[in-house]
Amino acid sequence: MPFAKESFMHELSIAMSIVDLAQEEAERRNVHIEAVHLELGALSGVVKEALLFSFEIACDGTPLQGSRLVVKDVPIEVYCPACNMPKTLASMQWFCCPDCGTPASEVIHGKELVITALELKQ
């Protein structure tokens, strides 16, 4: 396993919560889930690969066993006060407008960890 134990435990806990939420919704609607779609921001503090691995483990022995976790990566988008518009950062180490270089501290996107859809089995 290429993940640090602490990181793996963090992502496993998140994966278990995702499975629980999806399972509750599946039971409520009396459906089976093929895939869980998730938006994951670069600043969420979650390692995508560890989450994908953990999701498989969290699904084991549940009605979601065999389902997929589909992750949409959300880049960091900040508001540039000089350009007066949103800008996508190239790196999370440099919170400055990529066009004019002005420091930009207002994060618009990039912190997401959101279930956006459940794909149902036919």
Side-chain angles (χ1 to χ4, degrees):
M1 176 173 29
F3 314 111
K5 182 179 178 183
E6 296 79 19
S7 175
F8 173 73
M9 294 305 292
H10 173 71
E11 275 74 6
L12 182 57
S13 174
I14 292 168
M16 291 171 70
S17 295
I18 292 168
V19 169
D20 287 344
L21 288 169
Q23 191 170 333
E24 286 174 19
E25 188 65 17
E27 289 171 3
R28 188 175 75 75
R29 294 181 180 216
N30 197 29
V31 296
H32 296 282
I33 295 178
E34 176 84 18
V36 177
H37 292 256
L38 180 83
E39 287 186 356
L40 184 63
L43 295 174
S44 68
V46 176
V47 178
K48 178 181 175 179
E49 293 76 16
L51 182 61
L52 290 167
F53 180 77
S54 297
F55 182 78
E56 288 184 33
I57 293 169
C59 287
D60 193 35
T62 75
L64 272 80
Q65 187 167 340
S67 67
R68 298 174 292 118
L69 181 62
V70 180
V71 178
K72 176 185 175 192
D73 295 315
V74 179
I76 303 167
E77 185 178 57
V78 296
Y79 180 79
C80 175
C83 297
N84 200 28
M85 61 189 312
K87 299 289 182 164
T88 301
L89 299 183
S91 167
M92 68 172 59
Q93 277 73 40
W94 190 248
F95 273 69
C96 292
C97 176
D99 295 330
C100 72
T102 300
S105 61
E106 185 181 338
V107 177
I108 299 170
H109 292 290
K111 296 179 182 179
E112 292 83 353
L113 177 57
V114 180
I115 297 172
T116 57
L118 299 175
E119 198 173 308
L120 307 179
K121 288 183 182 178
Q122 296 297 326

